[in-house]
Amino acid sequence: MFCYDYPRPAVTVDIVVFSGDALEVLLIQRKHPPFEGHWALPGGFIEMEEPLEVSALRELAEETGVTDVSLTEVGVFGAPFRDPRGRVITIAYATVIEKSTLNVKAGSDASEVAWFSNTELPKLAFDHNEIIRKALEKVK
């Protein structure tokens, strides 16, 4: 273990799941603070020994029940104050799937899971509007 004289940020993954020609977005309703009760992308903190994409697949499965998808990296989002818990950098991923083949269910940190039109999103936690916007550019 190393000790550093400067602070280190936390790292998370966020996953944008699109479905259908209209590219609906799968969102979770957060069960815990910050942003408890707000809609958000599935995601969470990486484990120290876990590759980033494995973290994304684990978080997606834990929060939505979605498994067996391939992910495309969307980008890195690290604006200061994007997360009220401290300096958090996220790596965002996206996938496009057919929602009729899924049995989505809220789990772990999610109290609910639902599909939303990408043009009529609810108020989202963190900077998830920006992440979805970038993911739309990537998949179109």
Side-chain angles (χ1 to χ4, degrees):
M1 181 124 177
F2 296 96
C3 293
Y4 296 98
D5 291 335
Y6 51 90
R8 295 182 294 163
V11 180
T12 60
V13 289
D14 288 304
I15 307 92
V16 184
V17 179
F18 292 114
S19 182
D21 293 336
L23 294 177
E24 290 179 292
V25 181
L26 185 64
L27 298 176
I28 64 156
Q29 191 170 44
R30 290 182 55 84
K31 193 186 288 186
H32 307 290
F35 299 105
E36 181 178 359
H38 285 78
W39 291 97
L41 293 170
F45 290 95
I46 66 165
E47 299 292 336
M48 292 303 285
E49 303 298 324
E50 201 173 41
L52 294 171
E53 189 169 322
V54 171
S55 292
L57 292 168
R58 174 183 51 77
E59 286 289 342
L60 183 60
E62 286 176 3
E63 294 185 351
T64 69
V66 173
T67 60
D68 297 322
V69 297
S70 61
L71 300 176
T72 300
E73 190 175 313
V74 170
V76 177
F77 298 81
F81 313 110
R82 64 173 296 277
D83 188 318
R85 294 171 289 195
R87 185 74 162 110
V88 178
I89 297 168
T90 197
I91 296 86
Y93 293 89
T95 188
V96 180
I97 55 177
E98 181 53 52
K99 75 179 182 181
S100 65
T101 65
L102 300 176
N103 181 23
V104 297
K105 61 185 180 306
S108 76
D109 298 334
S111 58
E112 192 175 338
V113 61
W115 292 96
F116 291 87
S117 165
N118 77 69
T119 60
E120 297 177 23
L121 294 170
K123 181 177 170 136
L124 298 178
F126 307 102
D127 56 355
H128 290 182
N129 280 313
E130 179 184 351
I131 294 171
I132 292 169
R133 202 169 23 256
K134 181 88 172 206
L136 276 166
E137 292 172 10
K138 192 89 163 179
V139 300
K140 283 188 176 181

